[in-house]
Amino acid sequence: YWLSQIPLWRRKNDLTRADMRQVWNLLRTGDILLVGNFIHISGLFIDGVVTHALGYTGKWRCIHAFAHGVSYIGLRKVLRHYDTVVILRPYWKWNESNTFRNNLIQKLGTPYDFYFWLNEKENDAYFCSQLINDSLQEIGYKTHLTSIRDSENILDEVLDSTFRGHRILLPDAMIYGNFEVIFHSHNIKKEGKKYILTKSKLLM
């Protein structure tokens, strides 16, 4: 289940029509869509209110890094599939949003990074949040985020030889980067500086 992303059960996703309408109305080219899917077992084990990151490129299409590599996905499909959504907007200077979009387009076809290779300089594949964060940093935008944090102790080194996901940037952490939160779906609320779910993932 973890690798194949086979759904555990059939059910309608948790976004409401009001959520979807807001997304359609508010999205602008260069926005970042963070979404959560809790129908898959992997979504239940990923911390936070979202589990996936995409870049919105206009004309109702997004670019994301998924199992089949960096590719387009239609906004309608995203909204029908996921349970939560957060829209982030970088604090753009003139025309930077188009530069970001073009940078994403250049990465189409790049493989997905299933193994979370931790040497960034030799990386020729992307996981979802890395695709967005690296593409922003490459055009000079300061996200205040690190796609892969440095190894800090012996435990990190031990985990590096088995499961490498402990040092990567999770989609949920992007909410707290250098972005404006434009919108979040009805099933997410802000308590202090933290965004949390209003109900259990299992009930979505």
Side-chain angles (χ1 to χ4, degrees):
Y1 287 104
W2 181 273
L3 295 177
S4 65
Q5 298 285 288
I6 297 172
L8 295 177
W9 61 85
R10 287 186 175 274
R11 62 95 167 92
K12 186 178 181 296
N13 70 318
D14 200 53
L15 291 180
T16 65
R17 289 187 179 182
D19 289 330
M20 297 180 190
R21 185 164 54 250
Q22 286 283 74
V23 172
W24 284 100
N25 290 337
L26 292 171
L27 267 182
R28 298 178 187 172
T29 298
D31 284 350
I32 299 161
L33 269 179
L34 302 179
V35 291
N37 185 321
F38 308 120
I39 194 173
H40 298 128
I41 194 168
S42 58
L44 298 176
F45 287 97
I46 297 175
D47 288 339
V49 300
V50 291
T51 60
H52 191 50
L54 312 91
Y56 181 63
T57 57
K59 298 183 178 179
W60 316 123
R61 294 200 298 180
C62 303
I63 289 178
H64 67 153
F66 207 56
H68 43 276
V70 178
S71 59
Y72 280 113
I73 183 172
L75 180 61
R76 188 179 302 275
K77 184 175 182 179
V78 172
L79 296 179
R80 287 179 174 177
H81 185 70
Y82 288 92
D83 298 300
T84 58
V85 61
V86 175
I87 299 175
L88 303 181
R89 183 165 298 153
Y91 299 99
W92 295 122
K93 297 178 183 177
W94 183 81
N95 208 39
E96 277 186 327
S97 61
N98 289 326
T99 305
F100 171 54
R101 177 197 61 195
N102 293 337
N103 197 11
L104 287 175
I105 291 172
Q106 290 175 5
K107 293 178 171 61
L108 288 169
T110 306
Y112 184 77
D113 189 356
F114 285 101
Y115 301 103
F116 305 125
W117 297 112
L118 300 181
N119 187 337
E120 295 178 89
K121 294 181 180 179
E122 296 179 3
N123 187 50
D124 58 354
Y126 293 96
F127 52 88
C128 67
S129 49
Q130 180 188 28
L131 172 70
I132 303 302
N133 192 49
D134 286 8
S135 295
L136 285 166
Q137 292 180 342
E138 286 167 6
I139 68 168
Y141 186 82
K142 296 181 180 180
T143 64
H144 301 166
L145 300 168
T146 301
S147 296
I148 302 170
R149 68 170 175 82
D150 292 335
S151 178
E152 297 175 348
N153 49 46
I154 294 176
L155 179 59
D156 276 343
E157 294 175 8
V158 171
L159 291 173
D160 285 352
S161 64
T162 53
F163 178 67
R164 298 171 181 263
H166 62 292
R167 289 208 273 130
I168 69 170
L169 173 66
L170 294 178
D172 188 75
M174 298 188 72
I175 299 173
Y176 308 99
N178 185 29
F179 311 109
E180 180 182 3
V181 177
I182 299 297
F183 171 76
H184 59 78
S185 52
H186 77 283
N187 43 29
I188 297 173
K189 66 178 180 178
K190 187 177 182 181
E191 288 192 352
K193 295 182 179 181
K194 184 75 173 176
Y195 289 86
I196 62 173
L197 294 171
T198 60
K199 58 183 176 180
S200 168
K201 294 179 181 182
L202 292 171
L203 298 178
M204 288 185 172

